[in-house]
Amino acid sequence: MASDNIFSGLKVVDFSSFVAAPGAAVILSDFGADVIKVEPPNGDPWRHVHKIPPQPAADEPYQWHLVNRNKRSITLDLKSPSAPQVLEQLVKWADVFIVNTPHPARKKLKLEYDDVVRWNPRLIYADLTGFGEKGPDANLPGFDITAYWARSGLLSMTRDAGAPPTWPVAGSGDNATGVGIYSAIVTALYRRERTGKGAYVTTSLLAEGIWSASVSIQAALAGAKFFGLHDRMHPANAALNVYRAADGTWFVLIVTPDKLAAVAKAIGRQDLLTDQRFANPARLMANMPELTAILDEVFSAQPMAHWYEVFSGAHVTFGAVRGPQEVINDPQLAANDIVVPLEGAGGKLTSTISSPIQVHGVAKVPARRGPDLGEHTEEILRDLGFDAKGIEDLRTSGAVPKVKEHA
C-alpha cells in the first residue's frame, strides 16, 4: 500500500456480511486501510448470490469482488471454545471493527460492543442494523429491500399510478447505507484524533432509507398535500415528465420555468407559449394531459441523438434512461474513474466500480480481487502474534478450519 494514502496504517476488522457494511470497509481500503475480512466456515453468503435469480447470472462472482476487493480473509468459527483468543487479538490489532450480525446472535457470539471494547478502548465499533437498535422491531432481520426500500416509504413512491410496488435494484439501498456507515466511521476517527477516545457508531437501513426519502417524509411531517403517484399521461407537471424519442429511448425531462421559452423555441413549438389552453396556471393544470400529448408527438418524431443536441444547446436538464449494458459504455465512467481496472479476478471480470469518493491529489489503491475464503488465515494469525504451534492448535480445535471453497 502506498505510504501517502489517507488511511495507510489504519487497521480494519470487517466482521460483516452481504453488502452495506462490507462496502464501508471497501471505501476505507480504497484509501489505504488494511482490511481483514472475518468469515464463518461456510463463508459470507454474498459469495454465492450471482447464482441466485433474479440476480444477473455469471460464472464469476462479480458482486463478491465489488464489496470485498483489497481485503484479506480469515475463517473463524466463533462457536469454537478457542475462538475468543483469536477474536481478542483481532480487536487489539484493530482501529475499526465493523459488524452487522443481528443483536440476538451477536450477544451469543460475544460480539457486542461491551464484549470487545474491554480489549481496546480506542476501538471504533461500527454497527449496522436493519431497523435501529431500539423499538419493537429492533431485532427483526432486514435487507435493503425490506428495511431501506419498503419500510421507509421509498417503494410506495417509486412506481406509476395503478401499478403495484416493484422490485428495486439489488444492493442500491445497501450501497447508499455503506457510504453512511463509512461517514460515521470517519467522523469517529476524527473525534478520536482530537480526544483519544474510541466510539460506538451506528446506522440502520431504515434510517438511511428515511434519509433518502426525506423530502417526502418531511412533507408528511409538515402535513403537505401530496399529488399522488406519478401518471405519465396525466402528470402534475408536463415539464417534469418522462418521454420517448423516435428510436424508442425513454428520457427524463426537467424544464424549469426560466427555461420554458428556450425549450419551446428549441423544439419548434413557440406557439405553446401563447396557446390559450395553457395561458394561466388554472388552465394549464386543467389541460396538462393535452400538453403532455402534444409533447409526446413532438418528441416521438426524432431520435434521442437529436434531442440530446437540442436539450444540450438549451442547457436543459435531461437524462436518457439506460440499461446496465448501455451504462458501462458511457464515456463519463472511465473519464471520471467511476469504473476502474480490477486485478486478479480472472475470467471476464477485468474491471469494477470504484467507490464514489475522490480526493484530488490522492490516488486510490489499485483494485485487487476479493479474497478466496480463508485465503490469508495463516498470514493473519502470524500478524496477530500466533506461532506455528498456536496456529496448529487453532486448526485442531476448529476455531480456524481449513476450507476448500473459492470465491
Side-chain angles (χ1 to χ4, degrees), residues 22 48 65 73 95 264 267 319:
H48 311 290
H65 297 287
S73 171
D95 295 293
I267 68 175

Side-chain angles (χ1 to χ4, degrees), residues 357-370:
I357 297 168
Q358 301 284 352
V359 180
H360 280 235
V362 177
K364 290 182 179 178
V365 171
R368 303 183 308 275
R369 66 174 178 86

Side-chain angles (χ1 to χ4, degrees), residues 67-362:
V67 293
N68 290 287
R69 61 173 180 264
N70 297 347
K71 299 179 183 179
R72 297 188 288 162
S73 171
I74 180 175
T75 53
L76 181 62
D77 187 352
L78 288 173
K79 297 177 182 178
S80 167
S82 300
Q85 59 181 302
V86 180
L87 177 61
E88 178 180 352
Q89 294 307 314
L90 283 166
V91 172
K92 288 179 176 179
W93 176 85
D95 295 293
V96 179
F97 190 95
I98 303 174
V99 61
N100 65 352
T101 307
H103 278 280
R106 199 183 306 185
K107 186 175 182 179
K108 293 179 181 178
L109 295 172
K110 303 294 185 183
L111 282 178
E112 293 282 11
Y113 176 71
D114 289 340
D115 294 321
V116 301
V117 73
R118 58 195 172 97
W119 293 319
N120 184 355
R122 286 173 50 83
L123 187 70
I124 307 301
Y125 182 95
D127 173 19
L128 172 66
T129 64
F131 299 95
E133 299 173 277
K134 302 175 183 178
D137 293 336
N139 291 331
L140 281 181
F143 285 106
D144 76 331
I145 291 172
T146 58
Y148 180 97
W149 279 98
R151 187 70 173 264
S152 72
L154 279 169
L155 202 57
S156 72
M157 295 181 280
T158 51
R159 55 179 170 142
D160 280 351
T166 189
W167 204 256
V169 176
S172 52
D174 282 317
N175 286 327
T177 300
V179 177
I181 306 166
Y182 166 78
S183 65
I185 292 169
V186 172
T187 302
L189 286 170
Y190 179 70
R191 175 178 179 265
R192 191 179 76 172
E193 199 67 21
R194 299 180 68 187
T195 68
K197 297 179 180 179
Y200 182 158
V201 298
T202 184
T203 190
S204 67
L205 290 165
L206 175 61
E208 297 287 343
I210 295 292
W211 181 250
S212 294
S214 59
V215 172
S216 295
I217 303 299
Q218 184 71 55
L221 288 170
K225 178 183 178 181
F226 283 73
F227 285 95
L229 293 173
H230 178 71
D231 183 339
R232 203 193 71 77
M233 301 303 296
H234 299 81
N237 189 340
L240 280 70
N241 204 5
V242 181
Y243 295 98
R244 198 174 194 181
D247 59 0
T249 301
W250 288 98
F251 62 91
V252 178
L253 182 63
I254 301 177
V255 183
T256 52
D258 61 307
K259 294 291 184 180
L260 289 174
V263 172
K265 180 180 180 181
I267 68 175
R269 292 302 304 262
Q270 288 173 287
D271 60 298
L272 295 176
L273 299 173
T274 57
D275 192 313
Q276 290 303 301
R277 290 173 296 176
F278 319 123
N280 59 53
R283 289 184 179 181
L284 177 61
M285 289 301 296
N287 293 296
M288 201 67 76
E290 285 82 355
L291 179 56
T292 300
I294 292 170
L295 294 176
D296 267 341
E297 183 178 359
V298 170
F299 294 136
S300 65
Q302 296 288 346
M304 190 66 223
H306 171 81
W307 297 120
Y308 183 95
E309 296 297 329
V310 168
F311 298 145
S312 297
H315 299 288
V316 172
T317 302
F318 72 99
V321 178
R322 305 296 190 192
Q325 296 91 339
E326 297 170 290
V327 169
I328 60 174
N329 296 317
D330 189 330
Q332 288 297 113
L333 274 59
N336 291 281
D337 294 323
I338 296 171
V339 168
V340 296
L342 176 65
E343 300 173 8
K348 298 178 181 178
L349 195 56
T350 59
S351 57
T352 190
I353 296 111
S354 186
S355 53
I357 297 168
Q358 301 284 352
V359 180
H360 280 235
V362 177

